[in-house]
Amino acid sequence: MAFVPNELDPGRSARDLFGWEMREHRKHADNMSLDQLTQIIGCISKGHLARIERAESMPPPELPAQLDAAFGTDGRFGRIYLLARKEKFPGKYREWSELEALSETIEEYSAATIPGLLQTPEVARFSLLAGHPHATPTEIDAKVAARLNRQKRLASSAPPHCWFILDESTLRRPVGSLATMRRQLDAIAMDKRPHITLQVLPFTAGAHAEMGGSLFLYTVPGRPTVVWEEGARSGELIADAVDVAARRRSYDLLRAMALSPRESRAIIRRISKEYGRAGEPAGELAEEQP
């Protein structure tokens, strides 16, 4: 089956525009292949170049000048790069990040991993490495910095009220070493900030409508609540009032099924102690570095 490139919207973000320009200039250069462009560039892999063209990866600093030289574009890629490097998130996630930054109330259910707003730097790095196994160290560093930057608002003078419901699986799936996970759970258990409410949805709660994904409800002053629904590889912004109401009912039901905040912190501390008693299994580095 022939490869079909993904669609790019050059008006969505500077990163999309950069990838769109790459693709268009390849087409106009006698349909230059990515293999051919890789040979011309010389210092970047075909896979990395493909991710940049799909707007999935940030271009490295040296690439714009190399593309301008390859296509004779007189600094065009360099100018787009100046805009792209200011973007913390890819275009499809920008609306979501802006909603989070403006919300006075953030409600989240996570079935996959510890919520990004609560992650320690270690767990943030391991999570991003797992989700982006082909990313370069520079790209991972940028993603970690963006994630930790999101957390600053929770420590501001006017933080949003946050309600987190964590599936028990997020506590029991080790991310990084056992010591890393223990430090993460201890940080959550000891977090007593009044604007953060935390609940654990235990395995004993059984099946429910949001299994396998994550659900975010954002309330911005003067606007209707908006939902961000996320799976392993994609996310969808939901603003339709009927659909938002359905997700609200699902979230409220999860809240009713979950343990109380006091019981939740108790189970988090108990699981943290289990990590401590288990120690590091044979063959695993006790001080694994992210």
Side-chain angles (χ1 to χ4, degrees):
M1 181 181 294
F3 169 74
V4 179
N6 68 321
E7 293 185 7
L8 285 169
D9 179 0
R12 182 167 53 188
S13 72
R15 192 179 303 191
D16 279 82
L17 177 59
F18 194 100
W20 185 86
E21 289 283 354
M22 277 182 61
R23 186 174 293 168
E24 288 299 303
H25 279 85
R26 283 201 301 109
K27 288 180 181 177
H28 288 93
D30 297 323
N31 273 325
M32 180 190 295
S33 68
L34 277 172
D35 277 320
Q36 292 172 316
L37 183 57
T38 301
Q39 292 173 8
I40 294 172
I41 299 299
C43 65
I44 187 171
S45 70
K46 175 186 174 182
H48 190 185
L49 207 59
R51 294 195 300 276
I52 293 168
E53 189 172 280
R54 294 195 299 266
E56 295 173 357
S57 292
M58 181 65 189
E62 67 277 7
L63 182 62
Q66 293 167 335
L67 291 175
D68 281 323
F71 296 124
T73 43
D74 191 28
R76 181 174 183 81
F77 284 95
R79 291 189 290 272
I80 299 173
Y81 174 76
L82 291 177
L83 296 175
R85 71 178 184 179
K86 297 178 181 179
E87 296 177 342
K88 296 178 181 178
F89 299 94
K92 64 180 179 179
Y93 290 111
R94 182 188 297 172
E95 241 183 318
W96 159 76
S97 65
E98 290 175 349
L99 269 172
E100 184 178 86
L102 293 172
S103 293
E104 65 176 5
T105 303
I106 298 172
E107 299 161 283
E108 177 179 351
Y109 164 70
S110 179
T113 187
I114 301 296
L117 289 173
L118 298 178
Q119 287 179 0
T120 63
E122 288 177 292
V123 166
R125 183 170 295 276
F126 278 121
S127 296
L128 290 164
L129 281 168
H132 304 274
H134 304 297
T136 66
T138 299
E139 290 172 329
I140 293 296
D141 286 344
K143 291 178 184 296
V144 171
R147 180 162 297 182
L148 297 181
N149 189 63
R150 288 169 51 204
Q151 299 178 2
K152 291 181 179 179
R153 188 164 173 244
L154 271 63
S156 69
S157 58
H161 175 69
C162 298
W163 198 301
F164 297 104
I165 302 175
L166 280 63
D167 195 278
E168 186 175 342
S169 60
T170 67
L171 308 175
R172 294 193 177 278
R173 184 185 304 280
V175 178
S177 70
L178 299 185
T180 293
M181 199 63 184
R182 186 168 65 247
R183 287 190 288 268
Q184 171 68 82
L185 296 193
D186 287 345
I188 293 175
M190 292 186 293
D191 191 339
K192 301 295 179 65
R193 287 175 287 184
H195 55 281
I196 295 177
T197 302
L198 184 69
Q199 287 184 278
V200 172
L201 185 70
F203 290 145
T204 54
H208 57 83
E210 300 301 326
M211 290 188 298
S214 294
L215 184 64
F216 304 76
L217 288 84
Y218 295 113
T219 303
V220 177
R223 302 187 198 174
T225 297
V226 176
V227 167
W228 175 262
E229 200 166 52
E230 191 168 64
R233 298 293 179 190
S234 62
E236 179 185 8
L237 195 65
I238 300 171
D240 178 79
V242 174
D243 292 334
V244 169
R247 268 64 171 192
R248 162 59 69 195
R249 289 191 293 271
S250 290
Y251 192 86
D252 288 345
L253 183 57
L254 289 175
R255 185 157 29 208
M257 296 165 67
L259 300 174
S260 71
R262 178 177 294 181
E263 292 170 325
S264 296
R265 292 186 188 279
I267 193 174
I268 292 170
R269 287 193 292 268
R270 185 162 66 248
I271 295 173
S272 176
K273 289 179 181 178
E274 291 174 9
Y275 280 120
R277 286 196 298 270
E280 299 291 342
E284 184 176 358
L285 294 176
E287 292 300 326
E288 179 185 7
Q289 295 297 314

